[in-house]
Amino acid sequence: MSDLQSIKKRIQSIGDTRKITNAMYLISSAKMRKAKADLDRTRPYFEAMRTEIKRIFRSGELPENRFLYPLDENEKVTGTYACLLITGDKGLAGSYNYNVIKRAYELVEAGNDIKWYVVGEYGRHYFAQHGIPIEQSFLYTAQNPTMHRAREICDILLEGYYAGTFKKIYVAYTDMKGMVDEAQVTRLIPFHRSQFATSAGEKPVVNPFEYAPSPSAVLRSIMPGYISGFIYSALVDSFCSEQHARMVAMKAANDSAEELMSRLQVEYNRLRQAAITQEITEIAAGARARGQQGD
């Protein structure tokens, strides 16, 4: 009987846990849809900005600019680099946080001197546990990416870039391509001019525009907005990827719970049937004993 009671309690416990994991799955699904909708509403603005940057490059003047590699792209840009690392605030998302930290740390393994800027509670704890200094930690939650926060991050990073504290800025984040989460490290600035080249199948940018006071001045003016947009996109992509990874993890937990409960239910039924059979056998034996005594 004790085995029956313990199995019954375990089935109930697993059922309660499954309710929690299923609720987390539904919450992550709703958050991901909302974040993707927010990104889709802002994406056209930044795509238009990218188009205008392409138009500037076709203005007849290839402007020298601090945001771009030198015209001689063989010239190396060396020195200290900054890396904005975007992680989540929570676990229970599979290998989401571990993968992006591992990719970001490839910059150090390549021999670069990195100043770390971290978004997300998980990243802060990881760096603290491993004794890795952080240049600045953005304490607001990674769960609610906004354009305002992206601009704040952009201003801080550009301040160090303008001051010459570092020569390049990288962003380590997770991009959800289709239904696959891919951790990646992207060089934010300086840009290669080839990043704004017209790709195959893309509608070419026509150019009879005049830029005042100059194409270089216009480019310097719009680049911070473009960079803010990239950071916002990275924040939202990371948030969507985290929710998707949590959905996958919670679905796996639900499936495991279903399988375990099914096995336990079979075991419970087997033990219960054995107990009933034993009781019937004992009753039948007792009845036969009484009958023999009566004879």
Side-chain angles (χ1 to χ4, degrees):
M1 184 62 70
S2 61
D3 288 340
L4 283 172
Q5 291 297 327
S6 63
I7 292 176
K8 188 174 182 180
K9 288 181 179 178
R10 193 175 179 193
I11 291 175
Q12 184 177 358
S13 175
I14 294 172
D16 293 340
T17 302
R18 186 182 60 175
K19 291 178 183 178
I20 295 173
T21 56
N22 188 56
M24 292 178 67
Y25 176 90
L26 296 174
I27 291 170
S28 296
S29 176
K31 286 183 177 179
M32 185 181 71
R33 287 196 300 270
K34 181 180 182 299
K36 290 188 71 173
D38 291 342
L39 181 61
D40 290 341
R41 284 195 292 269
T42 59
R43 197 183 297 275
Y45 170 77
F46 295 106
E47 289 298 326
M49 188 174 290
R50 183 181 179 88
T51 299
E52 291 310 310
I53 295 174
K54 291 182 180 181
R55 197 189 303 274
I56 291 174
F57 288 153
R58 289 159 176 75
S59 64
E61 175 187 346
L62 290 176
E64 284 288 358
N65 189 280
R66 69 174 71 192
F67 297 114
L68 302 174
Y69 266 87
L71 287 174
D72 180 7
E73 294 194 358
N74 293 322
E75 183 179 339
K76 293 186 178 298
V77 178
T78 59
T80 300
Y81 303 156
C83 180
L84 173 65
L85 173 64
I86 303 174
T87 66
D89 292 324
K90 307 174 185 176
L92 297 177
S95 59
Y96 164 78
N97 290 299
Y98 172 77
N99 286 342
V100 70
I101 291 174
K102 181 180 178 181
R103 282 301 308 273
Y105 213 70
E106 290 176 1
L107 293 172
V108 177
E109 294 172 348
N112 300 309
D113 179 26
I114 304 295
K115 290 185 180 294
W116 296 101
Y117 293 78
V118 180
V119 174
E121 195 65 31
Y122 192 97
R124 286 191 286 272
H125 282 306
Y126 179 89
F127 277 61
Q129 290 174 357
H130 290 78
I132 303 172
I134 297 176
E135 191 71 15
Q136 180 159 344
S137 176
F138 301 99
L139 297 179
Y140 39 72
T141 174
Q143 299 294 307
N144 185 26
T146 63
M147 191 64 212
H148 175 70
R149 290 174 176 175
R151 290 194 183 99
E152 287 182 345
I153 296 172
C154 177
D155 290 343
I156 292 171
L157 292 174
L158 288 181
E159 183 179 355
Y161 186 73
Y162 292 152
T165 305
F166 33 80
K167 301 299 183 182
K168 291 182 182 180
I169 299 176
Y170 288 87
V171 180
Y173 68 106
T174 308
D175 188 14
M176 193 174 74
K177 297 181 177 179
M179 297 304 289
V180 178
D181 302 320
E182 180 181 344
Q184 58 186 27
V185 178
T186 300
R187 186 189 66 254
L188 184 55
I189 50 176
F191 296 103
H192 276 302
R193 287 165 171 77
S194 59
Q195 290 179 255
F196 297 97
T198 302
S199 58
E202 186 179 0
K203 189 175 180 180
V205 179
V206 295
N207 168 44
F209 285 9
E210 294 183 3
Y211 297 94
S214 68
S216 294
V218 174
L219 191 62
R220 284 194 299 271
S221 176
I222 66 176
M223 272 297 188
Y226 180 78
I227 294 170
S228 297
F230 186 96
I231 292 175
Y232 174 67
S233 176
L235 289 170
V236 176
D237 280 336
S238 293
F239 178 69
C240 290
S241 297
E242 179 188 359
Q243 301 309 315
H244 178 251
R246 185 165 290 114
M247 287 169 60
V248 172
M250 293 303 102
K251 185 178 186 304
N254 285 338
D255 293 343
S256 297
E258 289 281 358
E259 182 181 353
L260 184 55
M261 288 178 66
S262 178
R263 292 204 305 266
L264 288 173
Q265 190 65 52
V266 170
E267 180 67 12
Y268 177 82
N269 292 339
R270 186 183 67 81
L271 290 176
R272 185 169 178 270
Q273 186 62 46
I276 293 172
T277 301
Q278 183 179 357
E279 290 178 2
I280 293 174
T281 302
E282 291 174 352
I283 292 172
R288 284 197 301 271
R290 289 189 63 181
Q292 291 173 358
Q293 289 176 359
D295 294 339

